[in-house]
Amino acid sequence: MDLELSRKQFRRLLDMVYIGNWILNSTRGEDRIPDYDEVESLLFAKAREEGMGILAEDYQGEVIPSRAFAEGGIHEAIMDYEDNVFFDILAEDLARRDMDDVPIDDSNYDELASRIEAYISEFERNGTDNIQVDSDIL
């Protein structure tokens, strides 16, 4: 298979592959999905061949993203994503809880959406500062 990419497009592809593999494998411990590691390794080896050697390094016989790559801002993008997803999921979970976890349909969807938006607005203003948990469970 041949794929023609500009240097900039290839660099963006490296970012996307790293982010995708991070999401798929970073929490799996020893149960990683090796196919994704292999694709990542192939692309970072190609980066080295294309004069982007600073982005790749060897580890236990495999080519992996270098420390310079990983510390070059890619994790800030991942953290921004994780923060947004965290607050979206939390807002929806709290809104559904407030509605006693009833099934959502056309009759109550607007109420759910309104509650989610209220929580999102609160989180945008205050983060988690106003969230309280009963101290009895801690």
Side-chain angles (χ1 to χ4, degrees):
M1 172 187 291
D2 290 324
L3 178 63
E4 295 292 325
L5 298 172
S6 71
R7 190 172 177 85
K8 182 178 180 179
Q9 289 171 325
F10 182 67
R11 180 64 179 81
R12 298 297 175 253
L13 180 61
L14 293 174
D15 289 346
M16 293 187 323
V17 166
Y18 181 85
I19 290 168
N21 198 28
W22 176 267
I23 289 170
L24 291 165
N25 274 327
S26 68
T27 61
R28 299 181 68 85
E30 295 298 317
D31 193 29
R32 293 179 68 86
I33 304 169
D35 290 349
Y36 294 105
D37 287 331
E38 180 182 334
V39 169
E40 182 183 72
S41 183
L42 286 170
L43 287 170
F44 277 86
K46 181 68 172 169
R48 183 182 282 162
E49 292 172 16
E50 295 297 321
M52 300 180 211
I54 193 166
L55 303 179
E57 62 187 46
D58 294 314
Y59 177 75
Q60 295 183 348
E62 299 291 325
V63 180
I64 64 168
S66 68
R67 183 170 306 209
F69 176 87
E71 293 174 355
I74 197 71
H75 280 278
E76 280 116 21
I78 292 169
M79 287 188 311
D80 287 345
Y81 170 79
E82 288 172 342
D83 285 347
N84 284 322
V85 169
F86 168 76
F87 285 116
D88 287 347
I89 291 170
L90 182 59
E92 183 171 346
D93 283 353
L94 292 171
R96 287 177 179 272
R97 178 210 57 193
D98 294 349
M99 296 173 64
D100 297 323
D101 291 313
V102 297
I104 303 301
D105 58 28
D106 289 341
S107 69
N108 59 7
Y109 178 80
D110 288 341
E111 179 184 355
L112 176 67
S114 177
R115 288 174 183 267
I116 290 171
E117 184 55 38
Y119 278 115
I120 293 292
S121 294
E122 168 61 25
F123 299 149
E124 286 172 351
R125 284 190 308 276
N126 299 301
T128 58
D129 290 348
N130 292 333
I131 294 177
Q132 297 180 12
V133 176
D134 287 338
S135 61
D136 294 344
I137 65 169
L138 299 177

